[in-house]
Amino acid sequence: MWAGDDASRGLGMTLDEVRPGYARVSMRVREDMVNGHAICHGGFVFAVADSAFAFACNSYNRSSVAQACDIVFVAPALLADVLVAEAVERTRFGRNGVYDVTVRRGGSEVVAEFRGRSREIAGTLVPEGPEGAG
């Protein structure tokens, strides 16, 4: 999934860790991400949270997409800050999942809280069965 994620890679994100129900993604705030208030545009904060959410909800090799998400901005992110988004699964039921993502500046100060709801769709990321086990 990471290899095909041109959006996340193009924004300079790194996939730091992924395991079932969990993902951590980092991104440095670049000059072209800062708005007229000299803070990181909220869309970029949302993007790093959304990417962590995507990797967490796809971590079971079941193709999943966002059904709904929302974000609360807690503190501004500034030029050159490293944002760390940590996604944690809260529950999965049927084809649905609920994930909370905390975005921190430098791994400590909370910048935003994001909640994503996922929905499994047809398919897998890696083929299952003998040919995909390899």
Side-chain angles (χ1 to χ4, degrees), residues 81-103:
D81 282 349
V82 175
L83 301 180
V84 179
E86 190 172 33
V88 178
E89 177 184 288
R90 294 299 173 211
T91 189
R92 288 175 65 215
F93 53 102
R95 294 172 39 211
N96 303 289
V98 178
Y99 294 79
D100 285 337
V101 184
T102 300
V103 180

Side-chain angles (χ1 to χ4, degrees), residues 40-60:
C40 182
H41 187 289
F44 293 111
V45 177
F46 187 97
V48 72
D50 189 42
S51 290
F53 163 54
F55 286 103
C57 71
N58 280 277
S59 62
Y60 295 98

Side-chain angles (χ1 to χ4, degrees), residues 46 50 53-54 57-58 63-70 91-99 114-121:
F46 187 97
D50 189 42
F53 163 54
C57 71
N58 280 277
S63 293
S64 299
V65 295
Q67 183 175 173
C69 8
D70 56 68
T91 189
R92 288 175 65 215
F93 53 102
R95 294 172 39 211
N96 303 289
V98 178
Y99 294 79
F114 172 107
R115 173 156 278 190
R117 288 159 300 284
S118 66
R119 179 78 171 171
E120 287 182 11
I121 58 173

